[in-house]
Each structure stands twice: as C-alpha cells, then as structure tokens.
Amino acid sequence: MEKQTITIYDVAREANVSMATVSRVVNGNPNVKPSTRKKVLEVIDRLDYRPNAVARGLASKKTTTVGVLIPDVTNVFFASLARGIDDIATMYKYNIILANSDQNENKEIQVLNTLLAKQVDGIIYMGNKITDELRAEFARSKTPVVLAGTVDPDQEVGSVNIDYIDATEKVIAKLIESDRKNIGFISSQIANPINGQYRLKGYKNALLSAGITYDESFVFESDGSVDAGESMAAQLLEKGIDSAYVTDDELAIGLLNGIINAGVNVPEDFEIISSNNSKITEMARPKLSSIMLPLYDIGAVAMRLLTKIMNKEEIDEKTITLPYKIVYRGTTTLEEE
Amino acid sequence: MEKQTITIYDVAREANVSMATVSRVVNGNPNVKPSTRKKVLEVIDRLDYRPNAVARGLASKKTTTVGVLIPDVTNVFFASLARGIDDIATMYKYNIILANSDQNENKEIQVLNTLLAKQVDGIIYMGNKITDELRAEFARSKTPVVLAGTVDPDQEVGSVNIDYIDATEKVIAKLIESDRKNIGFISSQIANPINGQYRLKGYKNALLSAGITYDESFVFESDGSVDAGESMAAQLLEKGIDSAYVTDDELAIGLLNGIINAGVNVPEDFEIISSNNSKITEMARPKLSSIMLPLYDIGAVAMRLLTKIMNKEEIDEKTITLPYKIVYRGTTTLEEE
DNA sequence: GTGAAAGCGCTAACAG
DNA sequence: CTGTTAGCGCTTTCAC
C-alpha cells in the first residue's frame, strides 16, 4: 500500500481530454476552451491531483528552486538576509534550498555541486570571500549567481551591497568630531574584502581627512564572536583606545560588555559604533549605535535581481548599491544626524 | 548556446558500456568490475559529468531533500533548531528546503503543498500549534513528518522536545526558594500548547507545592518581542510582581531592560528566568538565567528521527524528550545548581 | 482548441 | 558482472 500517486494521465482519462490539455489548464495556458477548462479543473479537484514538480522539472528544465549558500543561519546578520531572500523567492514562486557553509571553502564547493546537481535555477551566495575556485565553478555552471552582502571585487557576478567605504568613513568622521583621537578598528575576518578592503579604506580615509596618522596597531582582527569582543576590551583600554568602530554586531556587543565590565563609562569614556544594526543592537544596554545596513532589503533585492537574470530580463546594473543610514543610539555621545 | 548538459548516455557511449553500468558506478553499486569502474570514472571525470538529481528523483521517487517549515529564520530560537537540522541533513546526504511560515495557517498549508509537490522525502515542522487542517494534510500526504520544538498533544506524529512542565516547575520552585512571592508568568502566544498547557502547568504545579495561590492576573501574554517585554515592565512592577518566568529570550531581554529602566535592581529586587538559552541570553546585562533548551540538539535529533522514518527503520519511540539543564546567571540571586 | 508522440536523464527490474 | 528495456510524470512541438 504505497503512497498512491495520481498523475496527469489519470486526470486526462477521467476528464476525457488529453494529457496536453490537462497540462495546459494546470499551467494557465489560455488556449483552452472555458468549458473544458472547467471540466478538467473539476476532475483535478475531485481526484485531488497535485502536479509532480520533479517530473515537471525534468521536462521543462526548470525547478523553480534556488540554492542559498549561507555561512550560518544562526547568525542574525545572515538570517536577516535569508529572510529577505525567502520572502521575495516566495513571491516569485520559488523555493530556497538553504545550506550552511561555515565559510569553509571545501564545504562551499561541495554544497554548490549538490545544488547544481539538483538543477537549481539560480544561486544566492553569502559569505566572506568568493575564492577563485568558487568563481570558476560559478562560471562553469552557467547557472545565475547573485551575491548578497558579499562583495566581488571583480564584479563578475551580480551582487547587492551598500557603499561600505562611504559608510565607514562617515561614522569614523563622526567619532573624530566627538573628539576621539584613538579610534580602534575592530574587525572579524580581515580576509573578507568588505572588512579588509572597503571598511578599512573608509577608516583610513576619515583619519586622513582629519590629519590623524593611521596606526596599524589600532586594527584588531578576531572571529567576530561575542566572546572575542569581550576579551578584547582590556587590550584596547590598555592601548589608550577611546572609541571603536566594529564590523559585526555580536562582536560589538561583546566589546561593549567588556568595556563596561572594566568600569569604563559608555559612551562618555568610550564610544562604539557597530555595522549591521541587526536586532541585537537594540537588546544591548546602552543600545548600540550602528550603521543601518538594510539587511532584509539586501536579501530581497538580491533575490529580485536573481529572478530577473533567471528570467533573462534586461538588467541595467548587476552590481547594486543600496542606501544606508546611521543610527546614533546609546553608545555614542552624538545624538543628532 | 544553451547550458549544454552531458548525460549518463554520453558517458556510457564514451566508455563503451551501458547506461546501467554508469549508473552503477555513480551509485556505488559494488557489482562492477574494478577495471570497468575505473574506465567509467575516468570518462566521468574527463567529460565533467554531473548526475542530474531531478531525473534521478523522478526515476527513483526519492529526492533526498526534506522540507522545513520555520516560523521565522530571523528568530534565533528557530534558527538554532534549523542549524541542527541542516547539519544532520547534510550528514545523511539530504538538503533542506527552508520556508518561512510566519505561523500563519494559510501560508503553512500553502507552503506544505508546494513542498509536497516538490516531492520532498520528509518534513520537519516548527511552529506554534499544529492545527487540524495541517494534521489532516500531514496524514493525507503519507510523507513522514517530525515536529521540532513543537508539541503534538495527540502524539500522532514524531516530535522532539524537552519536558516543559518539569523544567518550568523547577525554575519556579527556585524562585520561590529565593523568597519570591509574586511570580509573573510572561508568555508569548498562549495558544501554543507549550506555553498555554505545559509551561503554565509547571508554573501552577510549583505554586501549588509551595502553597501559593495561583493568580491569573500574574499571567501575561504578548507577541514575544523585545518591545513587548520592555513595555510590559511597568505593569508588572505596578502589580507588585517581584520576579518573572519568561517563555522567550527576546521577550525576556525586553523585560529585563524595561525593569532596569524603571530603576529596579536585577536580580536583587526583581529576578528573571528565561526559557531557551539562545545566544542572546549571554549578550544581556546582567546575563539572563535560563532554562537551557538544547536547541541545536532538538533540531539534530528531529532530523535524525526523520531519516530513520524515511528509511523505514524501526523506531522505538517517536515522541522524544531530551534532557535539559538550567543555568543560573545574573538575573537570579541563586548561583549554584 | 485539442491530441499524439517524443523525449527530459535516470533507475530498476530482468535477462544473460 | 553487464546490457536491455521500460518506465517515472510532465512539457512541448507539431499536426489537425
């Protein structure tokens, strides 16, 4: 007594039409006489027929599913992007196969291959750095790829981001305006071009404009975790650092807590600005000031871009830069903007 | 110049064997002479052949993908479960199609149907309450279903949880030990049996054991958000409530912050115990005491259970109860345990 | 408008 | 150990 499937053939027989006709009504093809459409629909309903998407995928070479590579769903930052992706995907009748990669190259390649084997119509990639091997796979597969919150310095594939240089430059300038002289650049993986190239560049630009000498020892790298941030506090304080720009929210919260534990007042004696404005920034006390990355939108726009590419529509620009804002909350002294 | 696919047939031809043989080596069937296996493998490599999982799925009636219904990936609680699910899925060569449902019944039903249309081999459901309609769909589809962190009072489908009654009873008892008399029960959707039935029952049990009269006005329902928690603080204080058991971490953080804003000392004058120990509990200041739900494990075990069912293995018990712990951190006065 | 028929790429008996 | 042969359930020309 196996899962007894009823097929398009059964419907055709019961409705006294051909499979082709059933296929047409199922797919909303207008070339069907209303009366026969009605008849078919009736049978479909009666038989409780549900089209087999796998068979359809094989025949049409479209699966209406896209693969999504995510470093870790557990990270609010990526989860927010994923939410934007899924919502738009659903809107356009796609489903997403979500796969955690842990930023691990081998896993990424492997996952990518199984995704391609499953004939996904497109891929959204989130991660640190798009390695050459990965890029090669992308190119070879001919499957559309869009990066979300991930940068491709060569701009070969589509991507959605904000202007990280500009945003970082702005917040650093703000810190300088508040008379901070020793501003730390607290980063997760520097290997990620967003951190090591763009944000760092913004940081340097701001210092330059203010005539402050760049001190490499003010740049800190870590794994981006809360713990890393917390244990880093002592070091910063020791170095005489009086404010920090942090590339990740969790890291920022850790740092914030570490600084407070050391008995230093935030924001009076130490200011912090974070980068993603994920919802945890509002859970911290004081609430974290942060660049307001439009996380959901980045995901949503990336998916929208992907649908266009999959649909072979005309694309004006495949490297999309979204606007951002900055919210000054409790970890900075400036309140306006 | 379309995406030119090379098929099992091409490999067979090039290797001078039949498709069946190629299929065998691809699937690791041992009945192949080593020398021909080698030859085939060589051709596969040379042609860069990649098996088409869709075709395979149609022929074998197995897609090696499972559907995962999640209320919202953005919620750390569910994201953690999802991570456990994905890791075990990957381990067993499955992929997951993740779909956000927003706890919305219509969306759930609809998503479920597209998942079934895509012929997923199994389904993991996370959510509030499994409605009758949903249950009916589950039953009708004959596709294995396992609930993760979601309870089925009728125990018809597999599920993985902890003993919520027991856990809640224990923490309430602890609060009582600390001389708290007016303990609030701060909940997200009461309609969720985990809250409205199990946890509430544990709460009542503990009160009963201590000879404290249950006061319904000490039970608060909300949407479970940080904001809800924060804005709720004043009310609780006004009622003379001196401690709270909270069903969700975000809600708990909001409440904590609200209480502190009101100038009340935590934990000296107000204790809080949360329920999920998601990573945000450690970001709060003071750190939240919490029941330590093994989130990752619940997801992992649920997926493992599902693989067994899909594989038609013998199942000893499909309603699994995992052990839990309680961590007393900064929002409670007791430190031991 | 509708039907017939040829696949889509692979698995799964069944022979041999 | 290997090949033959049917399909899996649906889409898609191409006729009519």
Side-chain angles (χ1 to χ4, degrees):
Chain A
M1 198 222 83
E2 262 310 289
K3 210 189 296 185
Q4 127 111 62
T5 47
I6 103 111
T7 76
I8 199 173
Y9 177 77
D10 300 314
V11 176
R13 183 168 32 70
E14 288 288 312
N16 288 310
V17 296
S18 70
M19 291 165 52
T21 299
V22 177
S23 177
R24 289 191 186 96
V25 350
V26 166
N27 293 298
N29 184 316
N31 294 339
V32 183
K33 207 198 311 175
S35 68
T36 81
R37 174 188 306 280
K38 184 157 172 292
K39 184 173 57 179
V40 171
L41 249 16
E42 193 271 336
V43 174
I44 285 180
D45 195 52
R46 179 157 57 76
L47 264 43
D48 198 24
Y49 165 71
R50 172 187 292 140
N52 179 324
V54 174
R56 182 183 297 193
L58 182 58
S60 68
K61 296 177 171 305
K62 292 209 197 79
T63 54
T64 63
T65 107
V66 310
V68 176
L69 277 161
I70 190 171
D72 182 12
V73 239
T74 265
N75 182 316
V76 221
F77 176 79
F78 294 114
S80 301
L81 296 183
R83 188 60 215 260
I85 293 168
D86 188 45
D87 282 357
I88 303 303
T90 302
M91 185 176 302
Y92 285 88
K93 310 285 183 209
Y94 284 91
N95 286 107
I96 66 175
I97 294 186
L98 192 79
N100 293 89
S101 69
D102 287 318
Q103 314 257 37
N104 169 30
E105 288 184 36
N106 292 330
K107 205 168 170 189
E108 284 180 346
I109 298 284
Q110 194 185 322
V111 164
L112 176 62
N113 276 311
T114 98
L115 251 25
L116 293 174
K118 294 210 169 167
Q119 313 299 120
V120 292
D121 295 336
I123 289 180
I124 299 232
Y125 175 88
M126 299 180 263
N128 247 345
K129 194 184 167 180
I130 144 169
T131 62
D132 290 338
E133 194 179 354
L134 209 51
R135 185 196 306 283
E137 292 285 343
F138 285 159
R140 191 160 65 84
S141 77
K142 310 280 294 169
T143 300
V145 176
V146 170
L147 312 183
T150 302
V151 107
D152 174 18
D154 300 349
Q155 308 208 350
E156 283 179 13
V157 301
S159 62
V160 182
N161 289 281
I162 66 159
D163 185 339
Y164 301 106
I165 301 180
D166 187 56
T168 307
E169 190 169 340
K170 279 227 178 66
V171 298
I172 298 295
K174 210 77 181 177
L175 252 19
I176 293 174
E177 259 181 56
S178 298
D179 257 358
R180 300 298 169 176
K181 305 285 188 229
N182 302 319
I183 305 171
F185 181 88
I186 317 302
S187 177
S188 54
Q189 295 82 338
I190 293 273
N192 181 338
I194 293 181
N195 295 328
Q197 291 180 37
Y198 301 76
R199 286 172 168 154
L200 190 54
K201 175 142 191 230
Y203 172 76
K204 289 177 180 171
N205 284 167
L207 294 186
L208 195 63
S209 304
I212 300 178
T213 313
Y214 167 67
D215 180 346
E216 202 178 343
S217 77
F218 282 10
V219 174
F220 292 79
E221 179 177 15
S222 74
D223 63 6
S225 67
V226 176
D227 287 349
E230 189 159 351
S231 60
M232 201 178 268
Q235 265 180 84
L236 302 203
L237 259 15
E238 210 167 276
K239 268 201 141 44
I241 290 179
D242 57 16
S243 57
Y245 163 72
V246 189
T247 63
D248 295 75
D249 292 347
E250 298 196 9
L251 187 61
I253 288 194
L255 177 62
L256 169 62
N257 287 337
I259 294 290
I260 292 176
N261 287 350
V264 174
N265 290 326
V266 176
E268 295 79 4
D269 303 323
F270 198 105
E271 301 193 39
I272 299 177
I273 297 186
S274 172
S275 303
N276 304 331
N277 197 45
S278 57
K279 40 183 183 175
I280 59 177
T281 54
E282 304 218 46
M283 299 183 195
R285 276 305 120 107
K287 292 184 183 173
L288 277 171
S289 295
S290 178
I291 292 170
M292 215 168 124
L293 261 194
L295 299 178
Y296 180 92
D297 293 347
I298 290 178
V301 171
M303 184 64 212
R304 180 66 185 103
L305 174 58
L306 185 60
T307 64
K308 283 184 185 163
I309 302 178
M310 293 188 297
N311 211 27
K312 304 194 187 320
E313 290 175 30
E314 210 50 59
I315 312 294
D316 0 282
E317 178 55 62
K318 63 178 186 175
T319 300
I320 298 180
T321 301
L322 257 30
Y324 67 91
K325 290 186 180 164
I326 301 175
V327 263
Y328 292 98
R329 288 191 277 242
T331 58
T332 44
T333 51
L334 282 174
E335 291 285 343
E336 88 286 15
E337 169 91 355
Chain B
M1 196 221 88
E2 263 309 290
K3 207 190 297 184
Q4 127 112 60
T5 48
I6 104 108
T7 76
I8 199 173
Y9 177 76
D10 300 314
V11 177
R13 183 171 31 71
E14 288 287 313
N16 287 312
V17 295
S18 69
M19 290 164 52
T21 298
V22 177
S23 175
R24 288 190 186 95
V25 350
V26 167
N27 293 296
N29 184 316
N31 294 339
V32 183
K33 207 200 306 175
S35 68
T36 81
R37 172 187 307 280
K38 182 154 173 295
K39 183 174 56 178
V40 172
L41 249 16
E42 193 272 335
V43 174
I44 286 181
D45 197 51
R46 178 157 58 77
L47 263 43
D48 197 23
Y49 164 70
R50 172 187 291 139
N52 180 324
V54 174
R56 183 183 294 191
L58 183 58
S60 68
K61 295 176 172 307
K62 291 209 199 79
T63 54
T64 62
T65 108
V66 309
V68 177
L69 277 161
I70 191 171
D72 181 11
V73 238
T74 266
N75 181 315
V76 222
F77 176 78
F78 294 114
S80 302
L81 296 182
R83 187 63 215 259
I85 293 167
D86 188 45
D87 283 358
I88 302 303
T90 302
M91 186 177 301
Y92 285 89
K93 311 285 183 211
Y94 284 91
N95 286 107
I96 66 175
I97 294 186
L98 192 78
N100 294 89
S101 69
D102 287 319
Q103 314 256 39
N104 169 28
E105 287 183 36
N106 293 329
K107 204 167 171 191
E108 284 180 346
I109 299 285
Q110 195 185 322
V111 164
L112 177 62
N113 276 311
T114 99
L115 251 24
L116 292 174
K118 293 210 169 167
Q119 312 300 118
V120 294
D121 296 336
I123 288 179
I124 299 232
Y125 175 87
M126 298 180 265
N128 246 345
K129 196 184 165 181
I130 144 170
T131 62
D132 290 339
E133 195 179 352
L134 209 53
R135 186 197 305 285
E137 291 287 343
F138 285 161
R140 192 161 66 82
S141 77
K142 309 280 296 168
T143 300
V145 176
V146 170
L147 311 182
T150 302
V151 107
D152 175 18
D154 299 350
Q155 309 210 345
E156 281 178 12
V157 302
S159 63
V160 182
N161 288 281
I162 66 159
D163 185 339
Y164 301 104
I165 301 180
D166 187 56
T168 308
E169 191 169 339
K170 279 227 178 66
V171 297
I172 299 294
K174 210 77 178 178
L175 251 20
I176 294 175
E177 260 181 56
S178 299
D179 258 356
R180 300 298 170 177
K181 306 286 188 227
N182 302 319
I183 306 171
F185 181 87
I186 318 302
S187 177
S188 55
Q189 295 82 338
I190 293 274
N192 181 340
I194 293 181
N195 296 327
Q197 291 180 38
Y198 301 76
R199 286 170 169 156
L200 190 54
K201 176 144 189 223
Y203 172 76
K204 289 177 180 172
N205 284 166
L207 295 186
L208 194 63
S209 302
I212 299 176
T213 313
Y214 167 67
D215 181 347
E216 202 178 339
S217 76
F218 281 12
V219 174
F220 292 78
E221 180 176 13
S222 74
D223 64 6
S225 68
V226 176
D227 287 348
E230 189 159 352
S231 61
M232 201 178 269
Q235 265 179 82
L236 302 204
L237 259 15
E238 210 167 277
K239 266 202 144 43
I241 288 178
D242 57 16
S243 56
Y245 162 72
V246 189
T247 63
D248 295 75
D249 292 347
E250 298 196 9
L251 187 60
I253 288 194
L255 176 62
L256 169 62
N257 287 338
I259 294 289
I260 293 176
N261 287 351
V264 175
N265 290 325
V266 176
E268 296 79 4
D269 303 322
F270 198 104
E271 302 194 35
I272 298 177
I273 297 186
S274 173
S275 303
N276 304 332
N277 196 47
S278 57
K279 40 183 184 175
I280 59 177
T281 54
E282 305 217 45
M283 298 182 194
R285 275 304 120 106
K287 293 185 181 171
L288 276 171
S289 296
S290 178
I291 291 170
M292 214 169 125
L293 261 195
L295 300 178
Y296 180 92
D297 293 348
I298 289 178
V301 171
M303 184 63 211
R304 179 67 185 103
L305 174 59
L306 186 59
T307 64
K308 283 184 184 164
I309 301 178
M310 293 187 298
N311 211 27
K312 302 194 189 321
E313 291 176 29
E314 208 52 57
I315 311 293
D316 0 283
E317 177 56 62
K318 63 177 185 175
T319 301
I320 298 180
T321 301
L322 257 31
Y324 67 91
K325 288 186 181 165
I326 301 175
V327 261
Y328 292 98
R329 289 191 278 242
T331 57
T332 45
T333 50
L334 281 173
E335 290 286 345
E336 89 287 16
E337 171 91 355

